[in-house]
């Protein structure tokens, strides 16, 4: 599966509620989103699996992979293209063993200490952040800012995507930091026109 981190959409169930998850995602993909992560911290696995299956079906033929946030069982049961996990969401080697070699597997990294422990043989990319404080994640580490982002990206042995309070106006600074793309939530999901919102972001043009 092609991995293009240029514009990485992370879904939010509340922000997508009015328009609907599938419509929001498909509009965003039409606007240039290159990777989608289904994220819902409140729903149980049994509730999230059919949602993931519908979203995977909706994305069929688009060339845009679907990843699941944290929930390995949901990723496996739904036929998603991969998984993204945080530092406290299970072991990387266990996730890779369950997913198989072809699935996409990403890991959130917030500090240089975490970066030093990254298993480069089992991961495909790293999510670096938060760049800025964001209400979508209350338990995040101290914001990196662009200088901190550049330092982590420069030391990373794997492709990287920046996340945390990012908007289209930040794209130039994110590109200068040396990452392969930017991940957004509210900048697309929280807008009345996700397609237009996605089009406002430049294409990084780096397929990993």
């Amino acid at each position: 599966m092609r991995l293009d981190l240029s514009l990485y959409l992370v879904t939010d169930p509340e922000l997508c509620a009015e328009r609907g998850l599938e419509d929001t995602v498909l509009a965003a993909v039409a606007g240039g989103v290159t990777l989608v992560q289904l994220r819902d911290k409140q729903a149980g696995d049994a509730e999230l699996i059919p949602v993931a299956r519908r979203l995977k079906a909706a994305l069929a033929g688009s060339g845009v992979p679907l990843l699941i946030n944290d929930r390995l069982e949901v990723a496996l049961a739904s036929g998603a293209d991969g998984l993204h996990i945080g530092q406290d969401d299970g072991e990387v080697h266990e996730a890779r063993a369950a997913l198989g070699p072809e699935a996409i597997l990403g890991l959130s990294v917030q500090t240089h200490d975490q970066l030093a422990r990254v298993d480069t043989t089992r991961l495909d990319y790293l999510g670096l952040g938060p760049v800025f404080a964001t209400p979508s994640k209350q338990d995040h580490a101290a914001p990196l800012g662009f200088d901190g982002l550049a330092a982590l990206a420069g030391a990373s042995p794997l492709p990287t995507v920046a996340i945390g309070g990012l908007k289209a106006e930040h794209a130039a600074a994110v590109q200068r930091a040396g990452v392969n793309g930017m991940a957004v939530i509210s900048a697309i999901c929280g807008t009345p026109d996700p397609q237009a919102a996605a089009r406002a972001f430049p294409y990084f043009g780096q397929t990993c």
Side-chain angles (χ1 to χ4, degrees):
M1 175 63 70
R2 179 178 66 100
L3 178 59
D4 186 342
L5 297 169
S6 294
L7 186 52
Y8 185 152
L9 177 66
V10 181
T11 67
D12 180 285
E14 293 184 7
L15 293 177
C16 295
E18 183 173 349
R19 186 184 180 102
L21 176 66
E22 292 168 40
D23 284 352
T24 299
V25 169
L26 291 178
V29 167
V33 160
T34 58
L35 186 63
V36 175
Q37 179 191 128
L38 176 61
R39 181 177 185 266
D40 188 333
K41 294 294 188 179
Q42 303 304 316
D45 287 1
E47 181 182 356
L48 200 55
I49 288 169
V51 175
R53 286 174 174 165
R54 289 194 297 270
L55 190 54
K56 172 65 176 173
L59 287 168
S62 69
V64 174
L66 173 66
L67 308 187
I68 306 299
N69 177 268
D70 295 350
R71 314 290 189 86
L72 176 58
E73 294 305 319
V74 174
L76 293 172
S78 65
D81 300 295
L83 180 74
H84 182 92
I85 58 176
Q87 291 290 320
D88 301 319
D89 298 318
E91 297 296 332
V92 168
H93 70 276
E94 293 176 355
R96 174 55 74 192
L99 291 165
E102 301 302 319
I104 298 169
L105 182 59
L107 175 71
S108 295
V109 168
Q110 302 165 331
T111 68
H112 284 273
D113 286 343
Q114 293 171 355
L115 184 62
R117 298 192 297 270
V118 162
D119 186 344
T120 59
T121 66
R122 293 182 170 91
L123 290 163
D124 297 294
Y125 76 92
L126 302 177
L128 307 182
V131 181
F132 302 117
T134 170
S136 64
K137 190 172 178 61
Q138 299 295 326
D139 58 346
H140 58 69
L144 295 170
F146 293 123
D147 289 342
L149 175 65
L152 273 182
S156 174
L158 292 170
T160 55
V161 59
I163 190 168
L166 296 173
K167 302 177 181 179
E169 64 201 58
H170 301 130
V174 171
Q175 285 183 306
R176 286 194 297 270
V179 298
N180 299 86
M182 54 197 302
V184 299
I185 303 175
S186 59
I188 292 179
C189 291
T191 66
D193 189 342
Q195 183 172 347
R199 281 180 176 160
F201 288 83
Y203 179 61
F204 280 46
Q206 299 182 35
T207 301
C208 307

